[in-house]
């Protein structure tokens, strides 16, 4: 089900401490990726993160069926249907959430040697997007991991560049000296 390149990637990810959320970060911002990996964290101060935690706790029965024994913590796993889900409060970072979900799928496919379907859930819009594992998904996850490895080995964070995602980012204070409460 999962080829040798993915197996090697998963082994390397475990060795260097890279997990699902890092695949979300690399899709959004290299600076954010470096800061998160090096344990520079202000997420607990961010209103968007607090809102996301509330959505997780109040949607689809809360955070059921977490799979810590595989080294991952997706929002939901349905073993009987072979689905793994990520629950997001909005569609603002769909591609980043898809990358996180693809990592979880790779881990589960490798561990169980069965096919898994990813579900990207946005409860406030009642939207459920089905994510399939295929050659394109595999290529994307390998490319993202190569980027993560390169960034986390840097002695300091990459130069910041302002993007739309910066307005709600938990690292906004560190990068730009502004909180998510500041107007810009």
């Amino acid at each position: 089900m999962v080829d040798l390149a993915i197996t090697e990637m998963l082994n390397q990810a475990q060795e260097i401490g890279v997990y699902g959320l890092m695949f979300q970060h690399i899709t959004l911002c290299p600076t954010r990726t470096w800061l998160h990996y090096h344990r520079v964290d202000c997420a607990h101060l961010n209103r968007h993160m607090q809102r996301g935690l509330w959505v997780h706790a109040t949607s689809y029965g809360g955070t059921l069926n977490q799979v810590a024994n595989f080294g991952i913590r997706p929002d939901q796993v349905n073993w009987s249907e072979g689905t793994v889900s990520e629950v997001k409060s909005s569609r603002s970072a769909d591609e980043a959430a898809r990358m996180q979900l693809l990592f979880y799928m790779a881990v589960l496919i490798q561990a169980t040697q069965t096919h898994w379907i990813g579900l990207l859930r946005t409860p406030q819009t009642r939207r459920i997007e089905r994510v399939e594992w295929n050659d394109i998904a595999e290529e994307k996850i390998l490319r993202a991991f190569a980027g993560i490895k390169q960034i986390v080995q840097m002695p300091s964070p990459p130069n910041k560049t302002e993007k739309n995602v910066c307005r709600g980012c938990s690292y906004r204070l560190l990068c730009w000296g502004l909180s998510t409460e500041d107007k810009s």
Side-chain angles (χ1 to χ4, degrees):
M1 302 237 51
V2 173
D3 74 10
L4 191 55
I6 294 295
T7 300
E8 181 61 27
M9 181 211 66
L10 293 173
N11 288 336
Q12 286 181 22
Q14 185 174 12
E15 286 173 19
I16 64 174
V18 169
Y19 51 92
L21 192 57
M22 294 295 293
F23 287 86
Q24 186 179 123
H25 290 319
I26 191 65
T27 306
L28 296 172
C29 173
T31 305
R32 181 176 174 155
T33 303
W34 189 95
L35 291 168
H36 183 81
Y37 180 81
H38 291 280
R39 308 289 189 257
V40 179
D41 192 13
C42 351
H44 62 286
L45 303 173
N46 185 283
R47 66 186 165 98
H48 300 290
M49 291 295 295
Q50 293 167 354
R51 178 175 174 239
L53 291 172
W54 179 82
V55 168
H56 284 147
T58 58
S59 301
Y60 306 108
T63 53
L64 300 175
N65 300 321
Q66 293 185 346
V67 190
N69 57 326
F70 286 113
I72 59 173
R73 293 191 53 95
D75 293 329
Q76 295 179 323
V77 174
N78 184 320
W79 294 99
S80 62
E81 293 181 12
T83 61
V84 57
S85 298
E86 269 303 295
V87 179
K88 299 300 178 190
S89 59
S90 75
R91 296 188 55 202
S92 64
D94 273 358
E95 183 59 22
R98 262 186 233 100
M99 292 303 295
Q100 181 179 3
L101 191 54
L102 285 173
F103 178 77
Y104 294 151
M105 292 169 68
V107 170
L108 289 166
I109 291 167
Q110 172 70 20
T112 65
Q113 293 297 302
T114 60
H115 182 72
W116 283 80
I117 299 294
L119 300 174
L120 183 56
R121 299 173 182 268
T122 313
Q124 293 181 334
T125 60
R126 298 178 190 252
R127 182 175 171 270
I128 300 174
E129 177 187 333
R130 185 180 171 107
V131 177
E132 295 285 343
W133 184 264
N134 55 34
D135 291 342
I136 295 168
E138 185 173 312
E139 181 181 315
K140 287 170 76 172
I141 204 80
L142 289 170
R143 193 173 37 245
F145 184 64
I148 292 169
K149 284 193 315 184
Q150 180 181 8
I151 288 167
V152 301
Q153 293 173 359
M154 298 171 79
S156 58
N159 292 332
K160 61 187 182 224
T161 56
E162 193 159 8
K163 304 171 185 65
N164 287 339
V165 72
C166 294
R167 282 180 272 148
C169 180
S170 60
Y171 293 103
R172 186 174 186 204
L173 186 61
L174 293 173
C175 290
W176 305 108
L178 298 169
S179 80
T180 55
E181 303 300 321
D182 293 333
K183 305 292 183 216
S184 64

